[in-house]
Amino acid sequence: MNVHAGTISRPSVCPHDCPSACSLEVELPGNNRIGRVRGLAAQTYTDGVICAKVARYAERIHHPERLTEPLLRVGPKGSGQFRPIGWDEALDRAAEAFLAAEAESGSEAVWPYYYAGTMGLVMRDGIHRLRHAKRYSGMFDTICTNPAWTGYVAGTGRLAGVDPREMAKSDCVVIWGTNAVHTQVNVMHHAIKARKARGAPIIAVDVYMNDTMKQADMPLLVRPGTDAALACAILHVLLRKDLADRAYLAKYTDFSSEIEAHLASRTPDWAEAICGVPAGEIEAAARLLGARPRAFFRLGYGFARQRNGAVAMHAALCIPTLLGAWQHEGGGAFHSNSGTYGISKRMIEGLDLFDPAVRMLDQSRIGAVLTGDPAALKHGPPVKAMLIQNTNPANVAPDQAKVRAGFLREDLFTVVHEHFMTDTALLADLVLPATMFLEHDDLYQGGGHTHLMLGPKLVEPPGQCRSNHEVICDLARRLGAEHPGFAMSPRAHIDWALTQSGRGSLAEIEREGFLDTDPPFARAHFLEGFGHRDGRFRFAPDWTRVPLKSDGLMGPWQDMPRLPDHWAAIEAATPDLPFRLVTAPARSFLNSTFSETPGSRKREGAPRLLIHPEDAAALGLAPGETARVSNARGAVEIAVEPFAGLRRGVVVAEGIHPNGAHRRGEGINMLTGADPVAPRGGAAFHDNAVAIRRLADQPSG
Ligand SMILES: Nc1nc2c(c(=O)[nH]1)N[C@H]1C(S)=C(S)[C@@H](COP(=O)(O)OP(=O)(O)OC[C@H]3O[C@@H](n4cnc5c(=O)[nH]c(N)nc54)[C@H](O)[C@@H]3O)O[C@H]1N2
Ligand SMILES: Nc1nc2c(c(=O)[nH]1)N[C@H]1C(S)=C(S)[C@@H](COP(=O)(O)OP(=O)(O)OC[C@H]3O[C@@H](n4cnc5c(=O)[nH]c(N)nc54)[C@H](O)[C@@H]3O)O[C@H]1N2
Ligand code: SF4
Ligand SMILES: [Mo]
């Protein structure tokens, strides 16, 4: 417990879907309210730094529009007409609908759908226990991590990397395809330490001059979906100038004369024609890296949200490997540590009841699933009932036109458990009010660092809010689902998971609020070998055998290049669709979250499209004028903002604003596609060919 100016503060954890997973210190002024939220200094990755939107969390937890009672739809679907009902009636109706769907079409007709709105293991993952016990359809969670994780693990064999605190000891920090200033502020904090203390330059790679690129010493502005060309040309220069670490390559990798011969033709001129970065800048970046093999590559998700994203991630990862950067403190690469915690989910998820014969449905293809696409349904029964927790698919999922049409089906019963009346809740039959993280106990692990953290219940929930765990257990009782996990409290689950995983116990983690699980140096730096069976990093990966969870091979995986290369699988611009649209993250929103808080709304304003001033002029679009952006999937009406910090032909829409913030109530995901990214699925949110016209020139009707 700490005391700031007379107010008590308690440790907690930010539960949101952010690699930073910050340890927090929450002021508790009394009256069941919270005050200022700060970063916890004692947790050395957070190091006292958090983002502004969470520092203002009082705005979200005490928001006057929070859902506080169960609501039943009374008007037509999507009308927003609901009436309050009691919990018993709400749960009875949900159970009745699930049992009816099961009786008509089998248990797979019920589809529990969830994501990482909370990253707490008990509250996020407990929904699996219900689905395993009831044999409901599973969800293959492709919406976020698959292309990036697949590309990384194809090289390393393991989803792990160098402790990100080592960035501060690096001679050069490369921030590739992540807008860290917006999406994980701690990366900048540690990178800037290296710049201040050691004069380490920061290289950034992105498609527009975002807030991270603006802070970089060497910003490399690529065309969307062309990072592998840039990476290959850097590899080419390093080899040509004899700056590769040959001894390291021989000992730790599959590097061969075949790969070297292949890269001999991937010159900076070749790359410039593809990625747009001038050959001279590519040479300069390679020379800088060659002189500073203690380089830290912080590889983000963004550049992998392209149809060739896994290939791009792998190609970028080959650079620190060619340099032998992994051998040095402060050198190597990091993408995610999600594969390092080894926390047993057996009790939380009811894994003892798991049956692999039950179908998995692709999270990103929810539109195709709900509109009855036979392949998306794996040629099984239609989905007739859903329980949705911690996600807002009507807003965030690709191919929004189909998602909306699916939710509007009269024969689908949708239960949405939420904090606010989101786009998805608006389409529900039943809306249940959920607790926020400070109102329940949970355990968190940092994807972007090395800590396990406890987020204890600190305040009482408003009104009748119930936690995800309570709702799952309440439903299980009514549905006849049996598992010991339904009778356990969240604290008992946390203790079970920690003790069974050899990570101490609840009592131990409660002392400081977190546990640093940083692996030994040699393991984190892969000096004991990479994760593949022969211990070698793969420059030539086998895309069919990446050691990660899988639901089979997807997308045009047969066409993937065997060696690092530009793969032209992206949605290329055409005369009809001449622009490439990237739907990048907004600083003050977190996916669809915080679009309800006054501070974030004020900072983000209305949706807008960044467009090169010459493109805007060529289209006759004045600043602030509304454009119609369209492709075969749909259209969005959005105001344009001329911005010189991007290449011609590229446009950027920051943030997933609520659908209703756009004219016609159609959000940015009207334009994004749900066709799976090879080889393991995922949505290419930043890979969209679009047409842009003045709204005023639009033919009516
Ligand atoms: N403020 C804020 N924080 C967030 C989120 C948010 O929405 N807002 N989302 C959270 C979630 S769920 C996640 S997964 C993480 C993701 O965080 P990041 O790893 O940062 O990934 P993205 O948000 O997809 O995109 C980051 C950057 O990728 C760039 N990009 C797009 N296409 C390309 C390309 O082809 N090449 C290159 N080099 N760059 C490209 C975009 O312009 C953008 O600047 O952030 C989390 N944190
Ligand atoms: N165009 C475009 N679309 C994208 C992306 C993009 O870059 N561009 N990014 C994609 C990515 S990376 C991701 S991860 C997805 C994420 O998209 P979503 O899964 O929708 O992400 P969030 O906004 O983090 O969380 C959704 C909801 O969870 C609710 N929630 C939070 N905690 C709890 C809880 O404890 N209980 C319950 N019941 N509900 C809770 C919040 O109120 C929020 O409405 O969006 C994807 N969509
Ligand atoms: S949203 Fe991310 S940066 Fe902000 S407090 Fe949460 S974990 Fe930290
Ligand atoms: Mo994500």
Side-chain angles (χ1 to χ4, degrees):
M1 185 194 301
N2 294 307
V3 178
H4 281 285
T7 301
I8 294 172
S9 296
R10 297 264 189 193
S12 181
V13 189
C14 176
H16 290 287
D17 189 0
C18 173
S20 281
C22 294
S23 285
L24 308 176
E25 222 186 308
V26 181
E27 280 185 7
L28 298 172
N31 290 340
N32 214 31
R33 308 221 18 124
I34 71 160
R36 192 78 188 158
V37 179
R38 295 184 176 80
L40 193 69
Q43 200 265 61
T44 53
Y45 182 71
T46 301
D47 203 16
V49 175
I50 61 165
C51 66
K53 59 192 178 296
V54 169
R56 298 188 300 259
Y57 214 81
E59 283 186 11
R60 185 161 196 274
I61 193 168
H62 303 309
H63 198 296
E65 285 161 28
R66 255 191 90 169
L67 297 170
T68 54
E69 54 192 355
L71 300 172
L72 180 69
R73 176 171 70 84
V74 291
K77 288 221 182 203
S79 64
Q81 296 165 29
F82 294 91
R83 74 168 166 85
I85 54 170
W87 268 105
D88 281 337
E89 187 190 348
L91 293 162
D92 287 346
R93 281 180 183 261
E96 200 180 302
F98 291 7
L99 291 168
E102 183 178 350
E104 280 165 29
S105 311
S107 64
E108 289 181 336
V110 182
W111 193 22
Y113 192 94
Y114 75 100
Y115 205 53
T118 173
M119 294 284 278
L121 303 189
V122 178
M123 298 300 164
R124 184 189 63 195
D125 299 330
I127 196 168
H128 293 288
R129 194 176 340 112
L130 183 64
R131 81 138 157 125
H132 291 143
K134 290 296 299 176
R135 306 171 61 82
Y136 291 155
S137 284
M139 185 190 89
F140 185 53
D141 57 325
T142 54
I143 209 161
C144 177
T145 61
N146 280 26
W149 285 13
T150 305
Y152 188 91
V153 175
T156 60
R158 197 163 72 222
L159 186 63
V162 171
D163 190 324
R165 287 168 294 193
E166 281 185 35
M167 251 182 290
K169 297 173 181 166
S170 169
D171 290 338
C172 178
V173 180
V174 183
I175 301 178
W176 198 312
T178 169
N179 187 357
V181 172
H182 285 198
T183 63
Q184 37 179 339
V185 61
N186 310 75
V187 167
M188 297 313 289
H189 177 64
H190 292 281
I192 285 168
K193 278 188 190 168
R195 175 152 74 192
K196 278 196 185 139
R198 312 170 56 88
I202 297 175
I203 300 178
V205 185
D206 209 286
V207 301
Y208 73 118
M209 288 302 291
N210 60 28
D211 291 343
T212 305
M213 292 279 274
K214 284 179 194 157
Q215 292 203 23
D217 302 284
M218 187 184 273
L220 300 174
L221 191 65
V222 293
R223 294 194 182 107
T226 65
D227 296 76
L230 172 64
C232 286
I234 292 175
L235 294 169
H236 166 99
V237 177
L238 291 172
L239 287 165
R240 170 157 51 74
K241 294 193 175 292
D242 205 19
L243 294 167
D245 186 334
R246 301 275 174 180
Y248 178 84
L249 292 176
K251 186 167 173 197
Y252 286 104
T253 78
D254 67 345
F255 191 78
S256 65
S257 52
E258 185 203 6
I259 297 164
E260 186 155 5
H262 158 76
L263 289 169
S265 62
R266 274 30 182 187
T267 63
D269 287 330
W270 165 84
E272 176 179 340
I274 297 166
C275 72
V277 180
E281 284 184 34
I282 300 175
E283 291 269 355
R287 275 200 309 275
L288 184 76
L289 286 165
R292 295 166 181 262
R294 190 191 298 276
F296 195 109
F297 278 63
R298 184 60 178 85
L299 302 167
Y301 287 99
F303 76 117
R305 301 195 204 288
Q306 300 278 343
R307 284 173 179 75
N308 60 9
V311 169
M313 169 62 82
H314 172 261
L317 180 66
C318 287
I319 302 173
T321 309
L322 196 83
L323 288 167
W326 298 98
Q327 299 161 99
H328 310 289
E329 190 181 22
F334 183 85
H335 172 58
S336 170
N337 256 346
S338 296
T340 63
Y341 290 92
I343 294 296
S344 171
K345 302 264 197 79
R346 208 177 143 80
M347 187 61 78
I348 291 176
E349 297 194 356
L351 288 174
D352 47 324
L353 301 178
F354 170 62
D355 178 354
V358 175
R359 75 176 171 185
M360 299 291 284
L361 300 174
D362 186 338
Q363 175 187 25
S364 299
R365 297 184 57 72
I366 178 173
V369 167
L370 294 187
T371 52
D373 177 318
L377 286 166
K378 300 263 182 81
H379 304 282
V383 169
K384 293 196 167 164
M386 292 183 82
L387 169 64
I388 300 179
Q389 289 184 319
N390 330 320
T391 185
N392 183 8
N395 181 226
V396 305
D399 212 355
Q400 187 174 106
K402 278 200 192 136
V403 179
R404 185 175 168 80
F407 276 122
L408 286 173
R409 267 174 44 206
E410 286 301 333
D411 61 340
L412 174 70
F413 190 87
T414 309
V415 182
V416 174
H417 189 196
E418 250 301 345
H419 297 149
F420 292 98
M421 189 55 81
T422 60
D423 286 313
T424 309
L426 272 171
L427 291 163
D429 297 281
L430 196 58
V431 179
L432 306 176
T435 48
M436 287 190 187
F437 73 110
L438 296 168
E439 299 156 358
H440 57 238
D441 296 298
D442 215 334
L443 179 68
Y444 303 83
Q445 51 190 35
H449 54 88
T450 57
H451 296 81
L452 268 173
M453 297 157 292
L454 182 72
K457 177 174 171 175
L458 298 178
V459 292
E460 290 302 323
Q464 303 174 36
C465 294
R466 288 192 188 173
S467 74
N468 290 9
H469 179 69
E470 288 173 275
V471 167
I472 295 295
C473 298
D474 290 343
L475 280 173
R477 260 192 304 281
R478 286 171 168 81
L479 292 164
E482 287 179 13
H483 191 272
F486 294 124
M488 289 164 66
S489 68
R491 288 173 62 85
H493 271 289
I494 295 167
D495 192 52
W496 194 97
L498 289 170
T499 50
Q500 295 295 311
S501 318
R503 295 288 194 191
S505 64
L506 173 63
E508 283 169 54
I509 203 167
E510 211 153 25
R511 258 174 247 142
E512 272 194 277
F514 59 84
L515 176 72
D516 192 351
T517 69
D518 56 330
F521 182 90
R523 185 169 170 81
H525 286 254
F526 294 105
L527 299 180
E528 300 164 342
F530 285 88
H532 297 291
R533 198 164 294 168
D534 61 2
R536 287 175 183 274
F537 179 92
R538 293 279 185 281
F539 280 89
D542 180 347
W543 290 112
T544 67
R545 284 169 199 274
V546 180
L548 272 177
K549 66 179 177 182
S550 164
D551 192 38
L553 294 164
M554 297 181 206
W557 59 271
Q558 296 97 330
D559 304 335
M560 295 180 79
R562 202 170 54 84
L563 303 179
D565 209 348
H566 174 62
W567 182 32
I570 49 175
E571 206 167 86
T574 62
D576 287 341
L577 302 172
F579 289 92
R580 296 263 298 143
L581 165 72
V582 169
T583 60
R587 184 172 191 161
S588 305
F589 296 161
L590 197 141
N591 305 319
S592 66
T593 311
F594 295 96
S595 60
E596 66 282 337
T597 56
S600 292
R601 290 173 88 121
K602 188 164 160 230
R603 275 168 184 79
E604 294 305 331
R608 60 201 185 280
L609 185 76
L610 304 178
I611 182 169
H612 194 281
E614 289 169 27
D615 284 333
L619 293 166
L621 280 161
E625 184 177 343
T626 300
R628 181 182 158 87
V629 183
S630 63
N631 58 22
R633 294 180 284 264
V636 169
E637 293 177 5
I638 185 169
V640 298
E641 180 175 320
F643 178 67
L646 33 71
R647 296 202 180 276
R648 286 202 67 178
V650 178
V651 289
V652 173
E654 280 188 353
I656 321 176
H657 292 255
N659 297 341
H662 296 262
R663 292 178 52 171
R664 299 152 53 104
E666 293 175 331
I668 199 70
N669 279 313
M670 291 295 289
L671 300 169
T672 59
D675 49 307
V677 172
R680 292 289 174 83
F685 284 111
H686 305 328
D687 184 0
N688 312 287
V690 295
I692 304 177
R693 290 188 187 84
R694 296 183 65 208
L695 189 61
D697 294 345
Q698 201 53 32
S700 53

